[in-house]
Amino acid sequence: MVAEQNEQQPLVQFSQVQKSYDGETLVVKHLDLDIKRGEFLTLLGPSGSGKTTTLMMLAGFEVPTHGDIRLNGRAITSMPPHKRNIGMVFQNYALFPHMTVAQNVAFPLEVRKLPKEQIAAKVQKALGMVRLEEFGQRRPAQLSGGQQQRVALARALVFEPELVLMDEPLGALDKQLREHMQMEIKHLHDKLGLTVVYVTHDQSEALTMSDRVAVFNDGVIQQIDSPSALYEKPRNSFVANFIGENNNLNGEVVEMDQETCAVRLDDGSLVRAARINVHAVGARTTLSLRPERLYVDAAHEGATNQLSGQVEETIYLGDHIRVVARLSGGEPIMVKVQAGPHLVMPRPGDAIRLAFRTEDCRALNPVAAGKMADAGSTSH
Amino acid sequence: MTIQGGASAPPADRVLSDGDVPLKVRLRRAERVRKMTAFGLVAPLLVFLLLTFVVPIAGMLWRSVGDNELSKVLPRTEAALVTWDGKSLPGEAAFHALADDLAQAHADDTAVIAARRLNYDVSGLHSAVMSLARHHFDPAATPSYRDAVIAVNHHWGEVDAWGAIRHARGPLTDFYLLSALDLHQDASGAIHRVPADRAIYLDVLARTFRISLTVTLFCLVLGFPVAYLLATQPPKIANGLMILVLLPFWTSLLVRTAAWVVVLQDQGIVNDLLLWLGVIDHPLRLIYNAIGVHVAMTHVLLPFMILPLYSTMKSIKPHFMRAATSLGAPPSVAFVRIYLPQCLPGIAAGCLLVFILAIGYYITPALVGGASDQMLSYFIAFFITDSVNWGLASALGAVLLGATLLLYAVYSKLVGGTDIKMG
């Protein structure tokens, strides 16, 4: 019956957590976060956004300056890390260089004083799980980066923790290996029913692996949602720019109803947008438009909004064409056009009409013109 | 990408030939200039080391086994002793040769060389040689040189004196090295321990090692936490602390040692404080004894322990300790099983450095130690400057060097030589 109760309860609860390192600025400003049993949660954000600090507080290496962290309903704020029974994979693997692979994996079992035969069996099983049975007697330095990463995984999982934390574990690997390891971690998560909290600044990694992603910025969770919701339905301009590619258009709300609003752009054109994060007529807003939801054929079905501009550059990318244009107001805008045999490539200097649907144009909080470029650049 | 027209391109793995010169030779030629440059860069230091380090040490080692003074002064005597059995007194010819040699030596003013050299071996021979050299024998009035020589000095009637002469015939001798180990070879060639009242060097050697070992241990115990603090503090604080560690390096060794005299003497700061606190009612003897030597040497050598430790600890990333605790190890277990083993190269280097420096220490024990706290270097200095027995001084040096090398060999075997990290 205790188990039943546990099923209902989130595994981890952060309530009103704050953290400051220097007593002046808050690295984590306000954190309320429930982590569900068995989910793969990614903390995503630029460096300094508070995501790693959040992970370190959960692991016990940092103490929150305010608030409460609960694991299984028990406050762990003042519990030392070695009593938390949380597995952790570090950025640089942190394999003990003076021990063999098998000794590394056996370490958490030895400190738990398990009997010798049991340790040997569990170590073998854990190494088998990451397909490194043959490598037990090697030193970590004799392994490749990907193998070291797998040993670190085996070591963090061998004592069967309920919760596994991963701090940018794939950051040091090259792209191909990273993508391979992403799948491997994801499969282990599914197979073992683990709860994983994963920190990364790589948005594609977050989208590939996670059940939910918490986007951090400025010490606050900007949005926590499934990968598709983050991409399709960003709640604010930061998330819209951080996840995927995005066009920003600034304007002023001239009229609004429950669902939509009319926005007069700075070049004078009027568009109708989904009302997401605007609160009053007359307020400034930034419209978020995904490049693939802009159409160069003005008659596209349901695309009631129209903007005109001039093509500056076209880039052929095989499956699609990237058109960089400038609107009549001078704002740059980027369009992804599905490539196909019948497509006529727009040429630089051509006039272009862009059409889009109301629901693909999201009116969000305004971004200052200077900041916009910054926000845009983080999306790559 | 595929290369078009591959047929016309040469096979990629064929070595382009340059006449009949093999590739290896060409490689060597290409590397030669680089090697010569590298050698040229280290050549000045190499020459310097050769002249100031290798040559003097070789000279010292040579002096510890070389022995050619006596054979120049007593050539005929040495020749007469070649067939001597060493058990009973030699025959008449040897006595005659000795008298003739010393008469010649007296005329050349070289008798004192023989006297000093023989006296190292058998005390009393100095006067025996000198008196015999001054004595004038009339060949006609001397029927038996044997009786006449013994009559001049009774030492010549003892086998040991003749053994000493033969033993010192050179050009090589084990006399100094044996002396340095408190051993002695008698006239018949048997090696035995010198009498207990004359044995000193083994004790001194043991004492030297004991003091060095204790000082090394003190340095490790005191230096480890300091190095840990230095390695774990933020750079701003660590740099300040580092200056405190290095400060002693900027002060003369003599000044530092003298400062300990001031601090530890009977009316020094420590005794005054303890008296004032009422802990003791009469001053403790803290200097001119073993306590003074250990305290001062530990202080002087501490930086040599801290620096290698610091550099090793600095390279141990904090995430190892974090990883260990996240895997369930309490901090103490994580320290012993994860941190300490990674410190071993630094511990090894620090201990070795301190121990080897301590073993050769001279000034500090000479200034703050008592008569029974002097280390081997003191005796080496004594034999070089006071009694001018360079052979024994060299032999003691050689023993010290040998013992140190032996210890180093054992040590590097234990910790794995390649693991020692000097920072």
Side-chain angles (χ1 to χ4, degrees), chain B residues 59-129:
Chain B
M60 182 204 81
L61 290 175
W62 169 249
R63 272 180 191 282
S64 68
V65 294
D67 197 2
N68 51 14
E69 291 177 318
L70 200 69
S71 56
K72 282 182 196 151
V73 184
L74 304 177
R76 279 163 288 192
T77 318
E78 296 290 8
L81 285 178
V82 167
T83 53
W84 180 48
D85 66 356
K87 289 183 183 119
S88 54
L89 280 178
E92 175 69 12
F95 283 89
H96 196 153
L98 182 65
D100 287 352
D101 277 342
L102 283 179
Q104 179 66 41
H106 188 58
D108 297 347
D109 260 347
T110 52
V112 69
I113 296 173
R116 197 183 61 218
R117 172 63 186 84
L118 290 173
N119 200 57
Y120 292 158
D121 204 340
V122 177
S123 60
L125 280 189
H126 190 276
S127 59
V129 169

Side-chain angles (χ1 to χ4, degrees), chain A residues 56 61-62 82 86 88 90 92 94-99 107-108 110-112 155 159, chain B residues 317 319-331 333-334 337-339 341-342:
Chain A
M56 290 303 164
F61 299 128
E62 300 292 350
H82 65 274
I86 296 176
M88 183 148 182
F90 290 81
N92 302 314
L95 297 179
F96 307 135
H98 58 293
M99 296 182 178
F107 183 79
E110 281 168 6
V111 298
R112 284 174 175 76
R155 190 178 66 175
F159 59 100
Chain B
K317 298 197 181 66
H319 68 219
F320 288 126
M321 287 295 273
R322 286 191 162 188
T325 48
S326 85
L327 294 169
V333 174
R337 292 210 41 201
I338 304 305
Y339 198 76
Q342 294 191 64

Side-chain angles (χ1 to χ4, degrees), chain A residues 190-337:
Chain A
D190 295 342
K191 200 170 107 192
L192 303 176
L194 299 168
T195 309
V196 177
V197 180
Y198 192 100
V199 162
T200 184
H201 63 261
D202 179 342
Q203 48 140 326
S204 75
E205 196 164 287
L207 298 183
T208 323
M209 302 174 77
S210 320
D211 298 325
R212 284 199 302 164
V213 178
V215 180
F216 275 72
N217 191 40
D218 266 345
V220 178
I221 293 181
Q222 302 287 329
Q223 185 170 351
I224 176 162
D225 242 322
S226 69
S228 65
L230 279 181
Y231 186 81
E232 300 289 345
K233 293 171 182 149
R235 304 294 312 171
N236 60 40
S237 290
F238 176 81
V239 177
N241 285 301
F242 195 73
I243 308 281
E245 287 180 303
N246 187 46
N247 289 302
N248 288 304
L249 295 176
N250 289 322
E252 195 181 299
V253 181
V254 291
E255 180 249 299
M256 63 186 205
D257 57 33
Q258 212 57 356
E259 299 283 308
T260 64
C261 56
V263 174
R264 182 163 306 282
L265 297 184
D266 293 351
D267 67 353
S269 48
L270 193 70
V271 293
R272 190 128 202 119
R275 179 190 161 196
I276 308 298
N277 201 352
V278 293
H279 306 293
V281 170
R284 298 284 299 166
T285 181
T286 296
L287 301 179
S288 155
L289 280 161
R290 295 293 185 195
E292 72 276 15
R293 302 291 161 85
L294 286 162
Y295 308 107
V296 285
D297 48 333
H300 198 92
E301 190 191 348
T304 49
N305 289 308
Q306 302 248 340
L307 290 171
S308 58
Q310 200 175 29
V311 175
E312 288 206 322
E313 198 179 9
T314 55
I315 305 157
Y316 179 73
L317 287 160
D319 59 336
H320 72 273
I321 293 163
R322 186 175 293 236
V323 178
V324 182
R326 203 163 275 280
L327 295 180
S328 45
E331 284 138 319
I333 193 160
M334 203 241 296
V335 188
K336 276 186 192 172
V337 186

Side-chain angles (χ1 to χ4, degrees), chain B residues 195-217:
Chain B
D197 57 323
R198 281 179 54 205
I200 48 171
Y201 303 120
L202 281 184
D203 271 358
V204 171
L205 194 65
R207 181 194 304 153
T208 304
F209 276 67
R210 201 175 53 238
I211 290 177
S212 302
L213 214 62
T214 323
V215 166
T216 306
L217 212 65

